[in-house]
Every structure is written in structure tokens, then in C-alpha cells.
Amino acid sequence: MSAENNISRRAMLVKLGLFLNGIVGVVLAVPIVQYLLSPVTRGKKTGYESWLSVGGLEQFPAGQTRLASYRNPVVTGSDGETANIACWVRNVDDQNFQVFAINCAHLGCPVRWFPQSSLFMCPCHGGAYYQDGSRASGPPERGLFQYPYKIENGKLFIQAGELPTPGRAANKTPGRTTCV
């Protein structure tokens, strides 16, 4: 063999190591690049801010607060039962409703409704909310997140798809949407 074709064992192993490290780098970089480019490539999904039914008006008697659920509009096939999201529906006077996210405004623990005291209570850190969703006591700095709602054909619909966050709740007043 000529001197040009002679390659030392060390040089060959270094080149093989660099080649294998390059393959591993590419394999690891693909999901990272997909994640970084996902807002651009995905665009806005249809149904992201859709109106979802939580049930008929007969399910929510006047003056009572009831647990309801809706199906998350942004789901994947593997979500299963976790795509069903609970919410509290308060029928104020047969014409006006309040629909609250089940999550505490402090750390997101699920709040429970206690009709005896007319309070929503958080089991995690003792947060309490009045029946209108406003803060009563504890560490939460604000009231429960409220979904905008509308009534159509005897059914109650909420506008869902966004995560309840303090910024959205502070910037948008929930309430009834009139339908034309």
C-alpha cells in the first residue's frame, strides 16, 4: 500500500467517533428544531376558541351551582379522558349565568363547591371564593377565572380553548354574549 492510503488506527477511530457523534447530534436536533419552529409551521388550529356546550339549561336550576364538563377543543388522540375539563356553572336567576374554571387562581388545584357555606374551597392552601367567584380568603390574589357564555336553543355554551391565566382574566370581562 502506498503511504497516502495508509491511515492510522487512531485517525480512523477519531473519524468514526466524529461521524457517530454527528449522527447523534442530528437525531437530537430534529425535535428541538421542530419545537422551535412549531408556532410558525402549525399556525392557528381551527376550533381553538370555539363555543362548546356544557349542557341544557334544565341541568342548571336557578340559584344553584352545579359541576359540568366540556371536551377540550385542542386535543390529540392520546388525551383520552383527560380532554374532558370540568367547570362550575352558577345559575344566578334563570337568565344570567356564571361559569367558573375548576382551578384555583393560586396554584391550579381543583376547587370544590360547598353549598352549606356558599363558598368554593381549595384543598391545597386554603383558598376560598364567594359564590360569585370573587376571592374570599387565602393566598389567591384574584377570583376564579370565568368563561364567557352564551345561550342558544336552550343550551349553555362557553367560549373555551384558552388556558385560564391571570392576564386574560384581568384584561377581559366575562359575561353573556348575545347571539344574532
Side-chain angles (χ1 to χ4, degrees):
M1 290 194 160
S2 68
E4 300 149 4
N5 291 339
N6 246 354
I7 189 164
S8 71
R9 183 176 178 196
R10 174 177 278 178
M12 182 187 70
L13 289 175
V14 167
K15 288 181 182 182
L16 180 65
L18 288 173
F19 176 72
L20 292 175
N21 280 329
I23 291 173
V24 170
V26 168
V27 168
L28 292 176
V30 167
I32 293 171
V33 170
Q34 285 178 337
Y35 171 76
L36 293 174
L37 294 178
S38 66
V40 175
T41 59
R42 180 179 20 170
K44 189 167 183 170
K45 289 187 175 183
T46 58
Y48 178 70
E49 271 196 36
S50 58
W51 288 96
L52 304 169
S53 173
V54 292
L57 296 179
E58 69 279 355
Q59 292 178 282
F60 310 108
Q64 292 189 19
T65 301
R66 296 273 174 97
L67 187 64
S69 67
Y70 64 92
R71 185 97 174 145
N72 187 349
V74 186
V75 296
T76 62
S78 62
D79 286 340
E81 287 297 312
T82 60
N84 295 329
I85 300 174
C87 60
W88 291 105
V89 177
R90 177 177 176 237
N91 185 340
V92 179
D93 59 9
D94 266 338
Q95 296 297 317
N96 296 308
F97 290 83
Q98 289 182 300
V99 184
F100 303 109
I102 198 167
N103 308 95
C104 176
H106 180 229
L107 293 177
C109 296
V111 296
R112 289 186 55 202
W113 169 248
F114 290 90
Q116 306 86 350
S117 59
S118 295
L119 290 173
F120 292 100
M121 302 287 288
C122 176
C124 295
H125 297 102
Y129 303 90
Y130 295 115
Q131 67 181 356
D132 66 354
S134 61
R135 179 187 176 274
S137 69
E141 295 182 2
R142 64 170 185 87
L144 292 173
F145 174 82
Q146 289 188 52
Y147 293 105
Y149 74 92
K150 69 179 179 179
I151 299 170
E152 280 185 355
N153 301 326
K155 290 190 175 187
L156 181 65
F157 291 86
I158 61 170
Q159 190 175 19
E162 288 186 20
L163 291 175
T165 61
R168 182 168 186 264
N171 296 333
K172 186 174 184 182
T173 305
R176 183 174 187 169
T177 302
T178 54
C179 303
V180 179

